[in-house]
Amino acid sequence: MADLFGDEWMKKFQEEWNKESELSDALAKINFNSNIGYGIDGEDTPRGVLVVENGKATIGCAYDGQELNWDLRASEDNWNKWIAKGLGMMGLGMAYTSRKLKFQVGDYGAMIKDPRMAGPFIKSFTVMGRV
């Protein structure tokens, strides 16, 4: 298995992201563009980055200093649990308020209040389970 959020893992995540219409097509409707970092809480930098242009993931790779709009961090155990089981809206809220999921960069409050972004964000955890 590829290292969590390593280059190979991120490339597979990019492929799966684009296959999921509830994620890529939904975000295309709102012209969503973002550099999203994924990493382990306590590490200096994220491990991987996904570049999204108009909802489609155009680059999935190891992090190499890219500017980020979002930087999501959690323990490796929590990531693995969410990847295996998914994460619903209530679980996301609990993960955020208990600081199990941290937004080093990005506005959780603005994202969660916009159903056009919140739904696809939740779906991204399901897609991670396909990697």
Side-chain angles (χ1 to χ4, degrees):
M1 183 173 177
D3 290 337
L4 183 62
F5 307 131
D7 196 64
E8 181 183 339
W9 197 98
M10 292 304 296
K11 284 177 179 21
K12 288 179 183 173
F13 184 39
Q14 173 190 352
E15 290 173 24
E16 293 300 326
W17 177 289
N18 290 330
K19 289 179 191 175
E20 180 53 66
S21 64
E22 289 181 45
L23 184 53
S24 59
D25 292 351
L27 291 173
K29 289 178 184 171
I30 61 169
N31 301 315
F32 182 82
N33 299 293
S34 208
N35 290 358
I36 308 167
Y38 297 89
I40 306 302
D41 190 26
E43 293 183 357
D44 290 338
T45 62
R47 292 183 179 181
V49 65
L50 192 70
V51 177
V52 180
E53 297 175 4
N54 287 317
K56 301 290 182 194
T58 57
I59 299 171
C61 62
Y63 179 75
D64 190 26
Q66 297 92 334
E67 186 148 337
L68 300 173
N69 305 100
W70 300 90
D71 183 355
L72 310 175
R73 304 294 183 93
S75 71
E76 197 156 354
D77 286 346
N78 281 324
W79 278 122
N80 287 325
K81 178 176 68 175
W82 299 328
I83 289 167
K85 296 181 179 181
L87 187 64
M89 192 64 78
M90 189 158 14
L92 172 62
M94 290 179 56
Y96 177 74
T97 56
S98 66
R99 308 265 309 139
K100 290 181 180 178
L101 177 62
K102 296 178 183 174
F103 287 67
Q104 303 287 92
V105 177
D107 185 350
Y108 171 82
M111 180 272 299
I112 206 68
K113 289 176 187 170
D114 185 344
R116 301 171 308 161
M117 286 177 54
F121 182 73
I122 294 293
K123 189 58 140 180
S124 71
F125 286 88
T126 303
V127 170
M128 285 180 189
R130 299 179 195 156
V131 174

